[in-house]
C-alpha cells in the first residue's frame, strides 16, 4: 500500500500535511480538498458512527479522531488522516497497522502541541519530520525500495 498523503485536520483545515506521491498531474487546492474530506466525514458520521475510512476506485482515506486543548484550554477535535492507494488488503491491515500508526501520530502531535494556538499553522511545520518518520516505509514506491536496498 503506497501512502499518498498524511496529515492532521482542524475544523476541516490542514494544519500539518505531507504529500509523498502526487495522485494526478493537476494541482489541487489543499484547503478545498481537506474541507471536502472533513465535510464527508461529518456527513457520514451523521448517518452512522464511527467512520474509519472511505474508499474510491483508486484511493482509500483512513481517519482517526482525537482531542487536544487549545491556547484557551478548550478541548478541540482534530483528525489524523492518511490517503493510500486502494488495496484489497486494507481490511487486513486497518486495525493491525494503519489505525495504530494514526493513533501514534495523534499522540505525538498532542504531546508536542497541547495548549498551543491551533490557528497559527506555521508552528506545526517542524512536525512534518515526525510524520515522515512514522510513515517512512509506506511512502516509497517499489522502485525506490529496491534502489535504497542497493545503495
Amino acid at each position: 500500500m503506497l501512502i499518498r498523503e498524511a496529515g492532521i485536520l482542524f475544523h476541516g483545515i490542514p494544519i500539518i500535511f505531507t504529500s509523498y506521491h502526487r495522485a494526478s498531474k493537476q494541482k489541487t487546492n489543499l484547503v478545498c480538498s481537506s474541507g471536502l474530506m472533513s465535510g464527508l466525514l461529518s456527513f457520514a458520521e451523521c448517518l452512522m458512527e464511527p467512520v474509519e475510512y472511505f474508499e474510491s476506485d483508486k484511493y482509500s482515506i483512513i481517519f482517526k479522531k482525537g482531542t487536544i486543548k487549545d491556547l484557551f484550554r478548550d478541548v478541540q477535535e482534530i483528525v489524523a488522516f492518511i490517503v493510500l492507494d486502494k488495496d484489497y488488503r486494507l481490511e487486513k491491515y486497518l486495525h493491525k497497522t494503519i489505525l495504530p500508526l494514526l493513533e501514534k501520530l495523534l499522540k505525538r502531535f498532542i504531546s508536542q502541541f497541547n495548549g498551543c494556538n491551533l490557528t497559527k499553522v506555521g508552528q506545526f511545520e517542524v512536525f512534518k519530520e515526525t510524520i515522515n518518520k512514522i510513515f517512512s516505509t509506506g511512502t516509497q514506491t517499489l522502485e525506490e525500495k529496491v534502489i535504497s536496498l542497493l545503495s
Side-chain angles (χ1 to χ4, degrees), residues 79-104:
V79 178
F81 72 93
I82 187 170
V83 179
L84 306 166
D85 282 350
K86 186 174 179 178
D87 193 313
Y88 70 93
R89 301 171 297 169
L90 178 63
E91 282 293 325
K92 179 181 178 183
Y93 291 105
L94 183 66
H95 294 284
K96 188 168 70 172
T97 307
I98 300 168
L99 289 176
L101 285 174
L102 286 174
E103 182 69 31
K104 183 178 184 179

Side-chain angles (χ1 to χ4, degrees), residues 68-133:
I68 188 170
K69 289 186 179 179
D70 65 10
L71 180 65
F72 307 105
R73 296 289 177 213
D74 293 330
V75 176
Q76 301 289 342
E77 184 177 84
I78 56 174
V79 178
F81 72 93
I82 187 170
V83 179
L84 306 166
D85 282 350
K86 186 174 179 178
D87 193 313
Y88 70 93
R89 301 171 297 169
L90 178 63
E91 282 293 325
K92 179 181 178 183
Y93 291 105
L94 183 66
H95 294 284
K96 188 168 70 172
T97 307
I98 300 168
L99 289 176
L101 285 174
L102 286 174
E103 182 69 31
K104 183 178 184 179
L105 178 69
L106 278 173
K107 283 182 180 177
R108 288 202 182 158
F109 183 82
I110 292 165
S111 70
Q112 189 170 345
F113 296 106
N114 201 31
C116 287
N117 185 348
L118 298 174
T119 60
K120 294 187 178 185
V121 295
Q123 67 185 325
F124 305 122
E125 197 65 30
V126 296
F127 195 72
K128 278 188 179 185
E129 194 174 304
T130 303
I131 294 174
N132 290 334
K133 286 179 184 175

